[in-house]
Amino acid sequence: MRALWERVLPDELSELVDSPVERLYVEYKSWIKLTEHKTRADLARHIAAISNFGGGYIVFGIDDDGRSCGPVPTEFQLDHDFVASVTRKYLDPAIHCDVRWTRSMQGTAHPIIVVPPHGATPICAKANGPDTKGKIEGIVAGAYYLRKPGPESSQIVTAADWRDIIRRCALHDRSAILAALTAALSTEPNDASRANPRDLLEQWARAADAEYLRRVGEGEYAVPLRDCRIQLSYMVETESPEELPFARFADLIREVSSEVDQHVASGWSLFYVFGADPLAPGGHPIHRWVKRNSCKPV
């Protein structure tokens, strides 16, 4: 019964091994030799690139074709201390990563390094990888790395590469500054014309529920979807009246998830974004309701 329950309600990371898909925020590795200096330098480069990308994962035991490499070898010893030693040696600031384990549908255990997004400053390499015949391998001191299509972890070489990193750095500092100013200068709001966030959220929830019922009513299903449902709605408020681009909604929520995970550890990320069908998020015309009712999509 326990095994069945675990497969019905898998942990949030199981999809990374059950449905391995190349994504910029995920790096797949076979059972690499952690004792080799080049391997450690490569790992540091991937951690820096993923953090500068906004956070993500490094999954072990999956080859480049998305196939399992079998059970974890006895000599593969990956834990928090090992990852911390790598980041302390090669990265500045030495970012703190989590190491979690998940089990695939075939029963194979896979360790996953959970990489958080960078903070007020991006992650920079502070030490070179090993020198092989005059060539530095793995990571280069002074370089900044970012995830790029391939996917790969490579040096930042263009101004466009810096755009999102600078935005996150600015938002990180701005949030801290605005929070302090708000606490010091805030007074009780007396603007009756300002919409109550709770009212807007309730309006959104009712509209979303009505749209769900309409779509369910258009088809026939083996289970009573109209009655068997749970709805959870939430709102993310920004410091300024900005409209966040809907096309980047999944990426933005993924960044929020990485940030929250650093402070709340409940077993499941509060804003985890599934990347594989049929659970992957998809845009729907209901988001236009937001604009019609003066509630910005966030």
Side-chain angles (χ1 to χ4, degrees):
M1 180 63 70
R2 179 177 174 82
L4 176 60
W5 180 260
E6 288 177 349
R7 292 318 307 166
V8 173
L9 293 175
D11 68 84
E12 65 185 47
L13 300 180
S14 62
E15 71 152 347
L16 296 175
V17 297
D18 287 337
S19 303
V21 179
E22 289 188 345
R23 310 180 183 103
L24 289 178
Y25 61 93
V26 183
E27 174 70 19
Y28 286 98
K29 290 292 184 184
S30 59
W31 300 122
I32 55 180
K33 295 182 178 179
L34 299 178
T35 56
E36 296 183 353
H37 293 301
K38 182 182 182 303
T39 297
R40 297 185 180 210
D42 283 335
L43 188 58
R45 186 182 77 253
H46 291 309
I47 290 174
I50 292 174
S51 182
N52 288 336
F53 183 72
Y57 312 92
I58 302 177
V59 184
F60 295 89
I62 304 290
D63 64 19
D64 292 337
D65 295 325
R67 295 174 299 193
S68 173
C69 298
V72 55
T74 56
E75 66 272 14
F76 189 88
Q77 300 294 323
L78 179 70
D79 57 21
H80 297 82
D81 291 339
F82 172 82
V83 178
S85 69
V86 170
T87 58
R88 284 197 303 267
K89 178 177 180 180
Y90 289 107
L91 304 180
D92 183 30
I95 189 169
H96 175 76
C97 299
D98 192 14
V99 176
R100 296 173 57 184
W101 289 75
T102 189
R103 194 170 296 276
S104 70
M105 193 174 296
Q106 290 72 33
T108 303
H110 294 269
I112 298 176
I113 298 178
V114 181
V115 182
H118 64 86
T121 58
I123 308 302
C124 178
K126 70 176 184 180
N128 287 327
D131 189 320
T132 303
K133 297 181 179 180
K135 180 181 179 181
I136 298 174
E137 296 187 306
I139 193 169
V140 177
Y144 291 86
Y145 294 88
L146 185 67
R147 295 291 284 177
K148 298 181 181 181
E152 64 178 3
S153 301
S154 57
Q155 289 190 38
I156 295 176
V157 294
T158 68
D161 291 339
W162 281 106
R163 182 183 56 206
D164 288 341
I165 296 177
I166 293 174
R167 177 184 63 83
R168 280 190 295 271
C169 291
L171 288 175
H172 192 279
D173 274 350
R174 186 182 70 173
S175 297
I177 294 172
L178 287 178
L181 289 175
T182 300
L185 304 176
S186 64
T187 58
E188 290 296 325
N190 192 28
D191 186 359
S193 64
R194 183 178 181 181
N196 187 316
R198 183 178 180 85
D199 292 340
L200 290 174
L201 183 59
E202 290 179 352
Q203 292 176 42
W204 167 269
R206 288 195 295 270
D209 190 56
E211 177 64 18
Y212 172 83
L213 293 176
R214 184 190 70 79
R215 298 185 70 184
V216 168
E218 294 178 347
E220 296 182 1
Y221 305 92
V223 294
L225 296 181
R226 175 179 290 273
D227 301 318
C228 298
R229 73 183 193 276
I230 296 176
Q231 179 185 359
L232 300 174
S233 300
Y234 61 86
M235 173 185 289
V236 178
E237 294 186 84
T238 58
E239 287 99 355
S240 58
E242 60 180 318
E243 180 173 334
L244 304 180
F246 188 78
R248 294 193 61 244
F249 182 77
D251 289 335
L252 291 168
I253 293 299
R254 190 173 294 111
E255 290 182 23
V256 171
S257 178
S258 296
E259 291 280 359
V260 172
D261 282 350
Q262 298 180 68
H263 306 285
V264 180
S266 62
W268 277 80
S269 297
L270 298 182
F271 301 93
Y272 184 77
V273 180
F274 287 91
D277 290 331
L279 299 179
H284 188 270
I286 192 172
H287 81 275
R288 290 199 296 266
W289 176 91
V290 178
K291 292 184 179 180
R292 293 199 301 269
N293 290 272
S294 301
C295 177
K296 301 298 185 182
V298 295

